[in-house]
Amino acid sequence: MSTAQLPVPATPVKEDLNSFRIAMRQFDYAAEKCGLEPGLCEVLRRPRRALSLSLPVKMDDGTIRVFEGFRVQHNSARGPCKGGIRYHPNVTFDEVKALATWMTWKCAIVNIPFGGAKGGIVCDPHKLSHNELERLTRRYAYEISPLIGPDKDIPAPDVYTDAQVMAWIMDTYSMTHGSNAPGVVTGKPLFLGGSLGRNEATARGCLFVIRAACEVIGIKLVGATVAIQGFGNAGSIAAQLLSQEGAKIIAISDSHGGIMNMEGLNIAELLAHKAKTSSVADFPGSKPITSEAVLELQCEILIPAALENQITLQNAERVQARIVAEAANGPTTPDADLVLHNRGIMVIPDVLANAGGVTVSYFEWVQDLQELFWEEDDVNRRLEKIMTKAFEGVFRTATIYDVDMRTGAYILAVDRVATATRVRGIWP
Ligand code: NAD
C-alpha cells in the first residue's frame, strides 16, 4: 500500500466533524477509486428511509416530556436492514444516518445478508428511572414498528442500550403484532432467544482482526502493549480477551477518567473495581491519565472503543500506536486517516474491526428463525472464520488498489452492494 498519492494535510485546520458528511466523503473516495457509475453513486450514498419522531413520555412525577427519536434505513439491496439503537444526549439525526450508512458497508464486508440501519433517542438513560426508560423504549418501539420486523429491519443494542431494552422492543412488537417475534431484535437476553457469544462478539471479532493484522505487520500479540479508550461492552471485553491472549493492557479510559500502568493493568480486578464504582478511575495501583492522552500513548495497539471523532487533525500526528483497531464507530476523521496512513500506522477500520457484533447478531437471527440454538464454541468458531476472511479480503483489496485499509474495505463493500443493486434493478 503506497502512500504516494495521498495529500498530507498542512497545519491543523478546522475539520468538518459532521458524521454523515464524513460517511459520504469516505464513500465518494472509494466510489471514485472503483469507478462506480454516477447514478449508482447517488443511490448508494443516501439513506433509503429516514424517520424522525417525537416521543411523549409520562415521567414518574406525573409530568410529560417529549423526546426526539430516529430510525434510518440506509440500504436493503442485500437483505433486511440491520443496526443498533443508541440512547445518548448528543445523538443527532445526521449521526444516525452516518451509523446506518456504515452498517450497510459493514454487513457487506463480512458478507452477511443484511443492509444497514440505525436508530437513536436523544436522552440520558442514566438520568431516567427504570420505568421511564421502559415507557420511552416502548413508545419508540411502537412508533418504528411499521418499519421493523424480522424480514424488514432488525434493531440491536448500541451505546447505552442493552439486552433489557431489546427485550422491551421485542415484547412491544410482539404484543402489537399478535405473535411472538424474537427475530425482530438481536442482543436479547439468552432466555428470550439471544445467542451465546453475542455479548462478547464485537470485542472477539476485534481480537480476530487484530491478530490477523499483527501477523501481517509482524507484531507478537503476546507482550504487545495496548491502550483502550472506552470501557463498555466493546472496550472492556476487548481488554479481557486481549489480556487472556497475553497482551499487556497499559491504559484504559471511560467517560469519568482514565488510568495507566506501564507494567500492565489487571483486567479482572479492574472489572470488579468498575462494578463497584461505575468507573475505571481511581483503580488502585494505577496513575490517572486523560482520555485524550490514552490515544497518544506509546503502544503497539490502540483501540478507540467509545464515540466518534476522537482521532482528528488535532492529535493524529501524536498517535504512536502501530495498529489502530476501531472498535467504536467513526473514531477517526478522514483527514486524520490520511495522517495515520502516511505515517505507516495501520488503521483497521470500524466497518471491519467491530463487525463481529453484527455477525453474531446475524447468527442470533438465524437461530431465532430456526428455533434451534448453537453452542458457544460453534458461534465463536464461525465468527473467527468470517472475521479472518473479511480481514484477508480487505487487506487484499487495499493492496490491489494501493489504498489504505478503510478505502479497501469500502471498495469491497461498495462493489458488493452495487452488484446486488444492479442485478435487482431499480424498481419500478
Ligand atoms: P457502551 O455504552 O457499552 O460503552 C461506552 C463506553 O464509552 C463507556 O465505558 C463510556 O464510559 C465510554 N465513554 C463515553 N465517552 C467517553 C470519552 N469521552 N472518553 C472515554 N470513554 C468514553 O457502548 P459500546 O456498546 O461498548 O459501544 C462503544 C462503541 O462501539 C460505539 O461507537 C458503538 O457504536 C461501537 N460498537 C458497539 C457494538 C456492540 O455490539 N456493543 C458493535 C459495533 C460497534
Side-chain angles (χ1 to χ4, degrees), residues 48-166:
R48 176 181 166 185
R49 281 195 190 120
L51 182 65
S52 166
L53 302 159
S54 298
L55 306 165
V57 176
K58 203 182 277 177
M59 308 302 282
D60 290 346
D61 64 4
T63 58
I64 295 168
R65 264 182 72 188
V66 180
F67 294 84
E68 209 182 347
F70 316 104
R71 183 73 188 169
V72 175
Q73 297 176 343
H74 174 258
N75 189 285
S76 57
R78 301 180 71 258
C81 296
K82 184 90 193 77
I85 295 171
R86 177 172 292 193
Y87 287 181
H88 197 278
N90 301 333
V91 71
T92 65
F93 205 6
D94 269 1
E95 183 181 19
V96 175
K97 286 179 191 168
L99 289 160
T101 309
W102 289 328
M103 284 304 297
T104 299
W105 312 135
K106 196 179 297 184
C107 293
I109 287 162
V110 284
N111 213 358
I112 57 177
F114 286 139
K118 206 81 181 189
I121 301 181
V122 185
C123 70
D124 185 347
H126 303 116
K127 294 189 177 146
L128 298 175
S129 72
H130 189 78
N131 288 338
E132 288 167 345
L133 198 61
E134 176 173 355
R135 287 195 290 274
L136 174 60
T137 300
R138 286 188 183 278
R139 180 69 189 221
Y140 174 72
Y142 177 78
E143 295 290 354
I144 64 169
S145 71
L147 295 191
I148 63 172
D151 55 0
K152 288 201 231 168
D153 178 359
I154 305 126
D158 190 72
V159 174
Y160 300 157
T161 52
D162 56 15
Q164 174 62 79
V165 171
M166 294 307 115

Side-chain angles (χ1 to χ4, degrees), residues 267-280:
I267 302 304
E269 287 174 13
L270 181 59
L271 284 165
H273 173 79
K274 192 195 158 180
K276 244 192 278 167
T277 65
S278 302
S279 172
V280 297

Side-chain angles (χ1 to χ4, degrees), residues 86 158 160 198 202 231-234 254-255 291 305-306 327-329 354:
R86 177 172 292 193
D158 190 72
Y160 300 157
R198 172 61 186 90
T202 302
F231 202 60
N233 174 279
D254 64 20
S255 57
S291 191
N329 283 307
N354 67 35

